[in-house]
Amino acid sequence: MPQAQIQPVATGTTPPAVVDSDDPLLALVLQSLDDDQAQDLVAIDLEGKSSIADYMVIASGRSTRQVAAMAQKLGERLKHGGFGNPRIEGLPAADWVLVDAGGVIVHLFRPEVRSFYNLERMWGFDGPSGAA
C-alpha cells in the first residue's frame, strides 16, 4: 500500500511547511485551526490513496474546552464559507473530535489522547519532529 504524503503545517513555533494544494476547503480548515491556536497541526494528503477524503488534518488542543471550541468554530466557518454543514462527532467528551467536511477529515485531540491513538504512525509518520 502506498504511503500518504504527510506534511506539518506552520503553527506556533513549528517551522513553516508548504502543503502542496490549492484546495480552498483545506485552506479554510488550516486557517481556522491556526486562528484558534491549534497545536502540532499536520496535513496528510490522501488524494488517490483513500476514498474517505482527499486530506486528513490532525491537530491538538490544550484542553477539552479548546478542542470543542475549535471544532464548533470550524463547523461555523465551513458553513459560512459555503462548504455545507460538516458532521461533528465527539463534542460531549471533546477528548477526540472528528469533523467530517467531505474532502477533508479533521481529527482534533487533547495531547494525551492523540499520543495514545497515534494516527500519524498509522499513516507512516511519527509526528511534526519527524517530518522532512
Side-chain angles (χ1 to χ4, degrees), residues 24 81 121 128:
R121 178 171 288 170

Side-chain angles (χ1 to χ4, degrees), residues 33-116:
L33 295 175
D34 191 53
D35 289 349
D36 292 338
Q37 300 177 4
Q39 299 177 330
D40 300 323
L41 189 54
V42 175
I44 303 171
D45 183 358
L46 302 177
E47 202 165 3
K49 296 167 186 74
S50 174
S51 61
I52 61 168
D54 293 332
Y55 297 94
M56 180 184 300
V57 174
I58 304 170
S60 298
R62 293 180 300 278
S63 65
T64 56
R65 180 179 230 154
Q66 184 189 15
V67 169
M70 287 190 304
Q72 290 171 330
K73 282 293 234 180
L74 177 57
E76 292 170 15
R77 290 172 178 147
L78 289 166
K79 184 177 179 181
H80 289 109
F83 294 102
N85 287 324
R87 288 181 288 179
I88 302 175
E89 297 181 24
L91 273 178
D95 286 329
W96 177 0
V97 178
L98 175 84
V99 180
D100 183 350
V104 178
I105 303 292
V106 182
H107 297 273
L108 303 173
F109 292 98
R110 280 189 314 106
E112 305 82 31
V113 177
R114 181 176 180 171
S115 66
F116 178 78

